[in-house]
Coordinates of all heavy atoms in Angstrom, one line a residue:
M1 N 0.8 -1.2 0.0 CA 0.0 0.0 0.0 C 0.9 1.2 0.0 O 1.9 1.3 0.7 CB -0.9 0.0 1.2 CG -1.7 1.3 1.3 SD -2.6 1.5 2.9 CE -3.4 0.0 3.2
V2 N 0.5 2.2 -0.8 CA 1.2 3.5 -0.8 C 0.3 4.6 -0.4 O -0.8 4.7 -1.0 CB 1.8 3.8 -2.2 CG1 2.5 5.1 -2.3 CG2 2.7 2.7 -2.6
I3 N 0.7 5.4 0.5 CA -0.1 6.6 0.9 C 0.7 7.8 0.5 O 1.9 8.0 0.9 CB -0.3 6.6 2.4 CG1 -1.2 5.4 2.8 CG2 -1.0 7.9 2.8 CD1 -1.4 5.2 4.2
V4 N 0.1 8.7 -0.3 CA 0.7 9.9 -0.7 C -0.1 11.1 -0.1 O -1.3 11.2 -0.2 CB 0.6 10.1 -2.3 CG1 1.4 11.3 -2.7 CG2 1.2 8.8 -3.0
S5 N 0.7 12.0 0.6 CA 0.0 13.1 1.2 C 0.9 14.3 1.0 O 2.1 14.2 0.6 CB -0.2 12.9 2.7 OG 1.0 12.8 3.4
N6 N 0.4 15.5 1.4 CA 1.3 16.7 1.3 C 2.1 16.7 2.6 O 2.0 15.9 3.5 CB 0.4 18.0 1.1 CG -0.6 18.3 2.2 OD1 -0.3 17.9 3.4 ND2 -1.7 18.8 1.9
K7 N 3.0 17.7 2.6 CA 4.0 17.9 3.7 C 3.5 18.7 4.8 O 4.2 19.0 5.7 CB 5.3 18.4 3.1 CG 6.0 17.5 2.2 CD 7.3 18.0 1.7 CE 8.0 17.1 0.7 NZ 9.3 17.6 0.2
A8 N 2.2 18.9 4.9 CA 1.6 19.7 6.1 C 1.9 18.9 7.4 O 1.8 17.6 7.4 CB 0.1 19.8 5.9
S9 N 2.2 19.6 8.4 CA 2.6 19.0 9.6 C 1.6 18.1 10.3 O 1.9 17.1 10.9 CB 3.1 20.0 10.6 OG 2.1 20.9 10.9
H10 N 0.3 18.4 10.0 CA -0.8 17.6 10.6 C -0.8 16.1 10.0 O -1.3 15.2 10.6 CB -2.2 18.2 10.4 CG -2.6 18.4 9.0 ND1 -2.4 19.6 8.3 CD2 -3.2 17.5 8.1 CE1 -2.9 19.4 7.1 NE2 -3.4 18.2 7.0
N11 N -0.1 15.9 8.9 CA 0.0 14.6 8.3 C 1.1 13.7 9.0 O 1.1 12.5 8.8 CB 0.2 14.6 6.8 CG -1.0 15.1 6.1 OD1 -2.1 14.8 6.5 ND2 -0.9 15.9 5.1
D12 N 2.0 14.4 9.7 CA 3.1 13.7 10.4 C 2.5 12.7 11.4 O 3.0 11.6 11.5 CB 4.0 14.7 11.2 CG 4.7 15.6 10.2 OD1 4.8 15.3 9.0 OD2 5.2 16.6 10.7
E13 N 1.5 13.1 12.2 CA 0.9 12.3 13.2 C 0.3 11.1 12.5 O 0.4 9.9 13.0 CB -0.1 13.0 14.0 CG -0.8 12.2 15.1 CD 0.1 11.8 16.2 OE1 1.2 12.2 16.3 OE2 -0.4 10.9 17.0
F14 N -0.5 11.3 11.4 CA -1.1 10.1 10.7 C -0.1 9.1 10.3 O -0.2 7.9 10.5 CB -1.9 10.7 9.5 CG -2.4 9.6 8.7 CD1 -3.5 8.8 9.0 CD2 -1.9 9.4 7.4 CE1 -4.1 7.8 8.3 CE2 -2.4 8.3 6.6 CZ -3.4 7.6 7.0
E15 N 1.0 9.6 9.7 CA 2.1 8.7 9.2 C 2.7 8.0 10.3 O 2.9 6.7 10.3 CB 3.2 9.5 8.4 CG 4.2 8.6 7.9 CD 5.2 9.4 7.0 OE1 4.9 10.5 6.5 OE2 6.3 8.9 6.8
R16 N 3.0 8.6 11.5 CA 3.5 8.0 12.6 C 2.7 6.9 13.1 O 3.1 5.8 13.5 CB 3.8 9.0 13.7 CG 4.5 8.4 14.9 CD 4.6 9.3 16.2 NE 3.3 9.6 16.7 CZ 2.5 8.7 17.4 NH1 2.9 7.5 17.7 NH2 1.4 9.1 17.9
R17 N 1.3 7.2 13.2 CA 0.4 6.2 13.8 C 0.3 5.0 12.8 O 0.2 3.9 13.4 CB -1.0 6.8 13.9 CG -1.1 7.7 15.2 CD -2.5 8.3 15.3 NE -2.5 9.1 16.5 CZ -3.6 9.4 17.1 NH1 -4.8 8.8 16.8 NH2 -3.6 10.2 18.2
C18 N 0.3 5.2 11.6 CA 0.3 4.1 10.6 C 1.5 3.2 10.8 O 1.5 2.0 10.8 CB 0.2 4.6 9.2 SG -1.4 5.2 8.7
K19 N 2.7 3.9 10.9 CA 3.9 3.1 11.1 C 4.0 2.4 12.4 O 4.5 1.3 12.5 CB 5.1 4.0 11.0 CG 5.4 4.5 9.6 CD 6.6 5.5 9.5 CE 6.8 5.8 8.1 NZ 7.9 6.8 7.9
D20 N 3.3 3.0 13.5 CA 3.3 2.3 14.7 C 2.4 1.0 14.7 O 2.6 0.1 15.5 CB 2.6 3.2 15.8 CG 3.6 4.3 16.3 OD1 4.8 4.2 15.9 OD2 3.2 5.2 17.0
L21 N 1.6 0.8 13.7 CA 0.8 -0.4 13.6 C 1.7 -1.6 13.2 O 1.3 -2.7 13.3 CB -0.3 -0.2 12.5 CG -1.4 0.8 12.9 CD1 -2.4 1.1 11.7 CD2 -2.2 0.4 14.1
G22 N 2.9 -1.2 12.7 CA 3.8 -2.3 12.3 C 3.6 -2.9 11.0 O 4.2 -3.9 10.7
D23 N 2.8 -2.4 10.2 CA 2.6 -2.9 8.8 C 3.7 -2.5 7.9 O 3.8 -1.3 7.6 CB 1.2 -2.4 8.3 CG 0.8 -3.2 7.0 OD1 1.7 -3.7 6.3 OD2 -0.4 -3.2 6.7
R24 N 4.5 -3.4 7.5 CA 5.7 -3.1 6.7 C 5.4 -2.8 5.3 O 6.1 -2.5 4.4 CB 6.7 -4.2 6.7 CG 7.2 -4.6 8.1 CD 8.2 -3.6 8.6 NE 8.8 -4.0 9.9 CZ 8.7 -3.3 11.0 NH1 8.1 -2.1 11.0 NH2 9.2 -3.7 12.1
D25 N 4.0 -3.1 4.9 CA 3.7 -3.0 3.5 C 3.1 -1.6 3.2 O 2.6 -1.4 2.1 CB 2.6 -4.0 3.1 CG 3.1 -5.4 3.1 OD1 4.4 -5.6 2.9 OD2 2.4 -6.4 3.3
I26 N 3.2 -0.6 4.1 CA 2.8 0.7 3.8 C 4.0 1.6 3.6 O 4.9 1.6 4.4 CB 2.0 1.3 5.1 CG1 0.8 0.5 5.4 CG2 1.6 2.8 4.8 CD1 0.0 1.0 6.6
S27 N 3.9 2.3 2.4 CA 5.0 3.3 2.0 C 4.3 4.6 2.0 O 3.1 4.8 1.6 CB 5.5 3.0 0.6 OG 6.1 1.7 0.6
F28 N 5.1 5.6 2.5 CA 4.6 7.0 2.5 C 5.4 7.9 1.5 O 6.6 7.8 1.5 CB 4.7 7.6 3.9 CG 3.7 7.0 4.8 CD1 4.0 5.8 5.5 CD2 2.5 7.5 5.0 CE1 3.1 5.3 6.4 CE2 1.5 7.0 5.9 CZ 1.9 5.9 6.6
L29 N 4.7 8.6 0.7 CA 5.3 9.6 -0.1 C 4.7 10.9 0.2 O 3.5 11.1 0.5 CB 5.0 9.3 -1.6 CG 5.5 7.9 -2.1 CD1 5.0 7.8 -3.6 CD2 7.0 7.9 -2.1
R30 N 5.6 12.0 0.3 CA 5.1 13.3 0.7 C 5.4 14.3 -0.4 O 6.6 14.3 -0.9 CB 5.7 13.8 2.0 CG 5.5 12.8 3.2 CD 4.1 12.8 3.8 NE 3.7 14.0 4.5 CZ 3.9 14.2 5.8 NH1 4.5 13.3 6.6 NH2 3.5 15.2 6.4
E31 N 4.5 15.1 -0.8 CA 4.7 16.2 -1.8 C 4.3 17.5 -1.3 O 3.4 17.7 -0.4 CB 3.8 16.0 -3.0 CG 4.4 15.1 -4.1 CD 3.7 15.2 -5.4 OE1 2.9 16.1 -5.7 OE2 4.0 14.3 -6.2
D32 N 5.0 18.6 -1.7 CA 4.8 19.9 -1.2 C 3.3 20.4 -1.3 O 2.7 20.8 -0.4 CB 5.7 21.0 -1.8 CG 7.1 20.8 -1.4 OD1 7.3 20.5 -0.2 OD2 8.0 21.0 -2.2
D33 N 2.8 20.4 -2.5 CA 1.5 21.0 -2.8 C 0.4 20.1 -3.2 O -0.5 20.5 -3.9 CB 1.7 22.1 -3.9 CG 2.6 23.2 -3.5 OD1 2.6 23.6 -2.3 OD2 3.5 23.6 -4.3
L34 N 0.4 18.9 -2.8 CA -0.6 17.9 -3.2 C -1.9 18.2 -2.6 O -2.0 18.6 -1.4 CB -0.1 16.5 -2.7 CG -1.1 15.3 -3.0 CD1 -1.1 15.1 -4.5 CD2 -0.8 14.1 -2.2
H35 N -2.9 18.3 -3.4 CA -4.3 18.5 -2.9 C -5.3 17.5 -3.5 O -6.4 17.4 -3.1 CB -4.7 19.9 -3.4 CG -6.0 20.4 -2.7 ND1 -6.0 20.7 -1.3 CD2 -7.2 20.5 -3.1 CE1 -7.2 21.0 -1.0 NE2 -8.0 20.9 -2.0
T36 N -4.8 16.6 -4.3 CA -5.6 15.5 -4.9 C -6.0 14.5 -3.8 O -5.3 14.3 -2.9 CB -4.8 14.7 -6.0 OG1 -4.4 15.7 -6.9 CG2 -5.6 13.6 -6.6
K37 N -7.3 14.1 -3.9 CA -7.8 13.1 -2.9 C -8.4 11.9 -3.7 O -9.1 12.0 -4.6 CB -8.9 13.8 -2.1 CG -8.4 14.9 -1.4 CD -9.6 15.8 -1.0 CE -9.1 17.1 -0.3 NZ -8.9 18.1 -1.3
G38 N -8.0 10.7 -3.1 CA -8.6 9.5 -3.7 C -8.1 8.3 -3.1 O -7.1 8.2 -2.4
I39 N -8.8 7.2 -3.4 CA -8.4 5.8 -2.9 C -8.6 4.9 -4.1 O -9.7 5.0 -4.7 CB -9.3 5.4 -1.7 CG1 -9.1 6.3 -0.5 CG2 -9.0 4.0 -1.3 CD1 -10.1 6.1 0.6
V40 N -7.7 4.1 -4.3 CA -7.8 3.1 -5.4 C -7.5 1.7 -4.9 O -6.5 1.5 -4.2 CB -6.9 3.5 -6.7 CG1 -5.5 3.4 -6.3 CG2 -7.2 2.5 -7.8
G41 N -8.5 0.8 -5.1 CA -8.3 -0.6 -4.8 C -8.2 -1.5 -6.0 O -8.0 -0.9 -7.2
E42 N -8.3 -2.7 -5.9 CA -8.2 -3.6 -7.0 C -9.4 -3.5 -8.0 O -9.3 -3.6 -9.2 CB -8.1 -5.1 -6.6 CG -6.8 -5.4 -5.9 CD -5.6 -5.2 -6.8 OE1 -5.7 -5.6 -8.0 OE2 -4.6 -4.7 -6.3
R43 N -10.6 -3.3 -7.4 CA -11.8 -3.2 -8.2 C -12.7 -2.0 -8.0 O -13.8 -1.9 -8.4 CB -12.7 -4.5 -7.9 CG -12.0 -5.8 -8.3 CD -12.9 -7.0 -8.1 NE -13.4 -7.1 -6.7 CZ -12.9 -8.0 -5.8 NH1 -11.9 -8.7 -6.2 NH2 -13.3 -8.0 -4.6
F44 N -12.1 -1.0 -7.4 CA -12.8 0.3 -7.2 C -11.9 1.5 -7.1 O -10.6 1.3 -6.9 CB -13.7 0.2 -5.9 CG -12.9 0.3 -4.6 CD1 -12.7 1.6 -4.1 CD2 -12.2 -0.7 -4.1 CE1 -11.9 1.7 -2.9 CE2 -11.5 -0.6 -3.0 CZ -11.3 0.7 -2.4
M45 N -12.4 2.7 -7.2 CA -11.6 3.9 -6.9 C -12.7 4.9 -6.5 O -13.8 4.9 -6.9 CB -10.9 4.4 -8.1 CG -11.7 4.8 -9.3 SD -10.6 5.3 -10.7 CE -11.1 7.0 -10.8
I46 N -12.2 5.8 -5.6 CA -13.0 6.9 -5.1 C -12.2 8.1 -5.2 O -11.0 8.1 -4.9 CB -13.3 6.7 -3.6 CG1 -14.1 5.4 -3.3 CG2 -14.1 7.9 -3.0 CD1 -14.2 5.0 -1.9
S47 N -12.7 9.1 -5.8 CA -12.1 10.4 -5.9 C -13.0 11.5 -5.7 O -14.3 11.3 -5.8 CB -11.4 10.5 -7.3 OG -12.4 10.5 -8.3
G48 N -12.6 12.7 -5.4 CA -13.4 13.8 -5.2 C -12.8 14.9 -4.4 O -11.6 15.0 -4.2
S49 N -13.6 15.7 -3.8 CA -13.1 16.9 -3.0 C -13.0 16.6 -1.5 O -12.5 17.4 -0.8 CB -14.1 18.1 -3.2 OG -15.4 17.8 -2.6
M50 N -13.5 15.5 -1.0 CA -13.6 15.3 0.4 C -12.2 15.0 1.0 O -11.5 14.2 0.6 CB -14.5 14.1 0.7 CG -14.7 13.8 2.2 SD -15.8 12.4 2.4 CE -14.5 11.1 2.4
N51 N -12.0 15.8 2.1 CA -10.8 15.5 2.9 C -11.1 14.3 3.8 O -12.3 14.2 4.2 CB -10.5 16.7 3.8 CG -9.8 17.8 3.0 OD1 -9.0 17.6 2.1 ND2 -10.2 19.0 3.4
L52 N -10.2 13.5 4.0 CA -10.5 12.3 4.9 C -10.2 12.7 6.4 O -9.3 12.2 7.1 CB -9.5 11.1 4.5 CG -9.7 10.6 3.0 CD1 -8.7 9.6 2.7 CD2 -11.1 10.1 2.8
T53 N -11.1 13.6 6.8 CA -11.1 14.1 8.2 C -12.5 14.0 8.8 O -13.4 13.8 8.0 CB -10.6 15.6 8.2 OG1 -11.6 16.4 7.5 CG2 -9.2 15.8 7.7
H54 N -12.7 14.3 10.0 CA -14.0 14.3 10.6 C -14.9 15.3 9.9 O -16.0 15.0 9.5 CB -13.9 14.6 12.1 CG -15.3 14.7 12.8 ND1 -16.0 13.6 13.1 CD2 -16.1 15.8 13.0 CE1 -17.1 14.0 13.6 NE2 -17.2 15.3 13.6
N55 N -14.4 16.5 9.7 CA -15.2 17.5 9.1 C -15.5 17.2 7.6 O -16.6 17.4 7.1 CB -14.6 18.9 9.1 CG -14.7 19.5 10.5 OD1 -15.4 19.1 11.3 ND2 -13.9 20.5 10.7
G56 N -14.5 16.6 6.9 CA -14.7 16.2 5.5 C -15.8 15.2 5.4 O -16.5 15.2 4.4
V57 N -15.8 14.2 6.3 CA -16.7 13.1 6.2 C -18.1 13.5 6.8 O -19.1 13.2 6.1 CB -16.2 11.9 7.0 CG1 -17.2 10.8 7.0 CG2 -14.9 11.4 6.3
F58 N -18.2 14.3 7.8 CA -19.5 14.5 8.5 C -20.0 15.9 8.5 O -21.3 16.0 8.7 CB -19.3 14.1 10.0 CG -19.0 12.6 10.2 CD1 -17.7 12.3 10.6 CD2 -19.9 11.7 10.0 CE1 -17.5 10.9 10.8 CE2 -19.7 10.3 10.2 CZ -18.4 9.9 10.6
R59 N -19.2 16.9 8.1 CA -19.8 18.3 8.2 C -19.8 19.0 6.9 O -20.8 19.6 6.5 CB -18.9 19.1 9.2 CG -19.1 18.6 10.6 CD -18.5 19.6 11.6 NE -19.2 20.8 11.6 CZ -18.7 21.9 12.1 NH1 -17.5 22.0 12.6 NH2 -19.4 23.1 12.0
N60 N -18.7 19.0 6.1 CA -18.6 19.8 4.9 C -19.4 19.2 3.8 O -19.7 18.0 3.7 CB -17.1 19.9 4.5 CG -16.2 20.5 5.5 OD1 -16.7 21.2 6.4 ND2 -14.9 20.3 5.4
D61 N -19.8 20.2 2.9 CA -20.5 19.8 1.6 C -19.5 19.4 0.6 O -18.8 20.2 0.1 CB -21.3 21.0 1.2 CG -22.2 20.7 0.0 OD1 -22.4 19.5 -0.4 OD2 -22.6 21.6 -0.8
E62 N -19.3 18.1 0.4 CA -18.3 17.5 -0.4 C -18.9 16.6 -1.5 O -20.1 16.3 -1.4 CB -17.3 16.7 0.4 CG -16.7 17.4 1.6 CD -15.6 18.3 1.2 OE1 -15.2 18.5 0.0 OE2 -15.0 18.9 2.1
H63 N -18.1 16.2 -2.5 CA -18.6 15.2 -3.4 C -17.6 14.2 -3.6 O -16.3 14.4 -3.4 CB -18.9 15.9 -4.8 CG -17.7 16.1 -5.7 ND1 -16.9 17.2 -5.5 CD2 -17.2 15.3 -6.7 CE1 -15.9 17.1 -6.4 NE2 -16.1 16.0 -7.1
L64 N -18.1 13.0 -4.0 CA -17.2 11.8 -4.2 C -17.7 11.1 -5.5 O -18.8 11.1 -5.8 CB -17.2 10.9 -3.1 CG -16.5 11.2 -1.8 CD1 -16.8 10.2 -0.7 CD2 -15.1 11.4 -2.0
L65 N -16.8 10.5 -6.2 CA -17.1 9.7 -7.3 C -16.6 8.3 -7.0 O -15.4 8.1 -6.7 CB -16.4 10.2 -8.6 CG -16.5 9.3 -9.8 CD1 -17.9 9.3 -10.4 CD2 -15.5 9.8 -10.9
Y66 N -17.5 7.3 -7.1 CA -17.2 5.9 -6.8 C -17.2 5.2 -8.2 O -18.2 5.2 -8.9 CB -18.2 5.3 -5.9 CG -18.0 3.8 -5.6 CD1 -17.0 3.4 -4.9 CD2 -18.9 2.9 -6.2 CE1 -16.8 2.0 -4.7 CE2 -18.7 1.5 -5.9 CZ -17.7 1.1 -5.2 OH -17.5 -0.3 -4.9
E67 N -16.1 4.6 -8.6 CA -16.0 4.1 -9.9 C -15.6 2.6 -9.8 O -14.7 2.2 -9.0 CB -14.8 4.8 -10.7 CG -14.6 4.4 -12.1 CD -15.6 4.8 -13.0 OE1 -15.8 6.0 -13.2 OE2 -16.3 3.9 -13.6
T68 N -16.3 1.7 -10.6 CA -16.0 0.3 -10.7 C -15.6 -0.2 -12.0 O -15.3 -1.4 -12.2 CB -17.2 -0.5 -10.2 OG1 -18.3 -0.2 -11.0 CG2 -17.5 -0.2 -8.7
D69 N -15.5 0.7 -13.0 CA -15.2 0.3 -14.4 C -13.7 -0.1 -14.4 O -12.8 0.7 -14.2 CB -15.4 1.5 -15.3 CG -15.0 1.3 -16.7 OD1 -15.2 0.1 -17.2 OD2 -14.5 2.2 -17.4
P70 N -13.4 -1.3 -14.8 CA -12.0 -1.8 -14.8 C -11.1 -1.0 -15.7 O -10.0 -0.8 -15.3 CB -12.1 -3.3 -15.3 CG -13.5 -3.7 -15.0 CD -14.4 -2.4 -15.1
A71 N -11.6 -0.5 -16.8 CA -10.8 0.3 -17.7 C -10.3 1.6 -17.1 O -9.2 2.1 -17.1 CB -11.5 0.5 -19.0
R72 N -11.3 2.2 -16.4 CA -11.0 3.5 -15.7 C -10.1 3.3 -14.5 O -9.2 4.1 -14.3 CB -12.3 4.2 -15.3 CG -12.1 5.6 -14.6 CD -11.5 6.5 -15.5 NE -11.1 7.7 -14.7 CZ -9.9 8.2 -14.6 NH1 -8.9 7.7 -15.2 NH2 -9.7 9.2 -13.8
I73 N -10.3 2.2 -13.8 CA -9.4 1.9 -12.6 C -8.0 1.7 -13.1 O -7.0 2.2 -12.6 CB -9.9 0.8 -11.8 CG1 -11.3 1.1 -11.2 CG2 -8.9 0.3 -10.8 CD1 -12.1 -0.1 -10.7
H74 N -7.8 1.0 -14.2 CA -6.5 0.7 -14.8 C -5.8 2.0 -15.2 O -4.7 2.2 -15.0 CB -6.7 -0.2 -16.0 CG -5.3 -0.5 -16.7 ND1 -4.3 -1.3 -16.2 CD2 -4.8 0.0 -17.8 CE1 -3.3 -1.3 -17.0 NE2 -3.6 -0.5 -18.0
E75 N -6.6 2.9 -15.9 CA -6.1 4.2 -16.3 C -5.5 5.0 -15.1 O -4.5 5.5 -15.2 CB -7.3 5.0 -16.9 CG -7.3 5.3 -18.3 CD -8.5 6.0 -18.7 OE1 -8.8 7.1 -18.2 OE2 -9.2 5.6 -19.7
W76 N -6.3 5.0 -14.0 CA -5.9 5.7 -12.9 C -4.6 5.1 -12.2 O -3.7 5.8 -11.8 CB -7.1 5.8 -11.8 CG -7.0 7.1 -11.0 CD1 -6.6 8.3 -11.4 CD2 -7.4 7.1 -9.6 NE1 -6.7 9.1 -10.3 CE2 -7.2 8.5 -9.2 CE3 -7.9 6.2 -8.7 CZ2 -7.4 8.9 -7.9 CZ3 -8.1 6.7 -7.4 CH2 -7.9 8.0 -7.0
R77 N -4.6 3.8 -12.2 CA -3.4 3.1 -11.7 C -2.2 3.5 -12.5 O -1.1 3.7 -11.9 CB -3.6 1.6 -11.6 CG -4.5 1.2 -10.5 CD -4.6 -0.3 -10.5 NE -5.2 -0.8 -9.3 CZ -4.5 -0.9 -8.1 NH1 -3.3 -0.6 -8.0 NH2 -5.2 -1.3 -7.0
V78 N -2.3 3.5 -13.8 CA -1.2 3.9 -14.7 C -0.8 5.3 -14.4 O 0.4 5.6 -14.2 CB -1.5 3.7 -16.2 CG1 -0.5 4.4 -17.1 CG2 -1.7 2.2 -16.5
E79 N -1.7 6.3 -14.2 CA -1.4 7.7 -13.9 C -0.7 7.8 -12.5 O 0.3 8.5 -12.4 CB -2.7 8.5 -13.8 CG -3.3 8.7 -15.1 CD -4.7 9.5 -15.0 OE1 -4.8 10.3 -14.0 OE2 -5.6 9.2 -15.8
L80 N -1.1 7.0 -11.5 CA -0.5 7.0 -10.3 C 0.9 6.5 -10.3 O 1.9 7.1 -9.7 CB -1.3 6.2 -9.2 CG -2.7 6.8 -8.9 CD1 -3.4 5.8 -8.0 CD2 -2.5 8.1 -8.2
D81 N 1.1 5.4 -11.1 CA 2.4 4.8 -11.2 C 3.4 5.7 -11.9 O 4.5 5.9 -11.5 CB 2.3 3.5 -11.9 CG 3.6 2.7 -11.9 OD1 4.2 2.5 -10.8 OD2 4.1 2.3 -12.9
Q82 N 2.9 6.4 -12.9 CA 3.8 7.4 -13.7 C 4.1 8.5 -12.8 O 5.3 9.0 -12.9 CB 3.1 7.8 -14.9 CG 3.0 6.8 -16.0 CD 2.1 7.2 -17.2 OE1 1.3 8.2 -17.2 NE2 2.2 6.5 -18.3
R83 N 3.2 9.0 -12.0 CA 3.5 10.2 -11.1 C 4.4 9.8 -10.0 O 5.2 10.6 -9.6 CB 2.2 10.8 -10.7 CG 2.4 12.1 -10.0 CD 1.2 12.9 -9.8 NE 1.5 14.1 -9.1 CZ 0.6 15.0 -8.8 NH1 -0.7 14.8 -9.1 NH2 0.9 16.0 -8.1
W84 N 4.1 8.7 -9.2 CA 4.7 8.4 -8.0 C 5.4 7.1 -8.0 O 6.0 6.7 -6.9 CB 3.8 8.5 -6.8 CG 3.2 9.8 -6.6 CD1 4.0 10.9 -6.1 CD2 1.9 10.3 -6.7 NE1 3.1 12.0 -6.0 CE2 1.9 11.7 -6.4 CE3 0.7 9.7 -7.1 CZ2 0.7 12.4 -6.4 CZ3 -0.4 10.4 -7.1 CH2 -0.4 11.8 -6.8
G85 N 5.4 6.3 -9.0 CA 6.1 5.0 -9.0 C 5.5 4.1 -8.1 O 6.1 3.3 -7.4
T86 N 4.1 4.1 -7.9 CA 3.4 3.3 -6.9 C 3.1 2.0 -7.5 O 2.5 1.1 -6.9 CB 2.1 4.0 -6.4 OG1 1.3 4.2 -7.6 CG2 2.5 5.3 -5.7

């Protein structure tokens, strides 16, 4: 699993907690100005404006796209691999 986030200090705690879980299969990449949001699995992808925070999930007016089309998921995986080598 690869998690890509921006270099904002509030993401330091998230990264530390994930590493404390002891899962060696998690890699972290940090970028200065990253604002893209999404999750991609083997058979789905979610993208949109929602921050993965309490306010993003429960308070703010956000949108998400849930995609199950294998061709679109493959496209997104190729884009991620080209950008971050994931």
Side-chain angles (χ1 to χ4, degrees):
M1 174 190 315
V2 177
I3 298 174
V4 183
S5 67
N6 63 30
K7 292 183 179 179
S9 61
H10 62 265
N11 289 323
D12 297 343
E13 178 68 12
F14 173 73
E15 183 175 340
R16 185 192 63 74
R17 286 183 181 204
C18 287
K19 287 179 177 177
D20 285 350
L21 294 173
D23 190 337
R24 304 278 187 241
D25 293 335
I26 299 176
S27 299
F28 289 88
L29 302 174
R30 306 286 290 267
E31 272 197 13
D32 288 324
D33 297 320
L34 182 68
H35 194 69
T36 303
K37 299 160 186 88
I39 299 171
V40 62
E42 292 296 321
R43 295 185 303 257
F44 75 95
M45 62 182 245
I46 300 170
S47 62
S49 66
M50 185 181 85
N51 288 320
L52 299 174
T53 62
H54 177 82
N55 285 347
V57 174
F58 297 107
R59 293 190 67 197
N60 297 343
D61 183 17
E62 305 283 2
H63 84 275
L64 290 175
L65 173 66
Y66 177 72
E67 182 72 62
T68 58
D69 175 38
R72 181 64 190 118
I73 294 166
H74 175 75
E75 253 178 51
W76 208 37
R77 285 183 166 279
V78 169
E79 289 175 31
L80 294 173
D81 190 50
Q82 288 174 344
R83 185 165 180 185
W84 292 296
T86 61

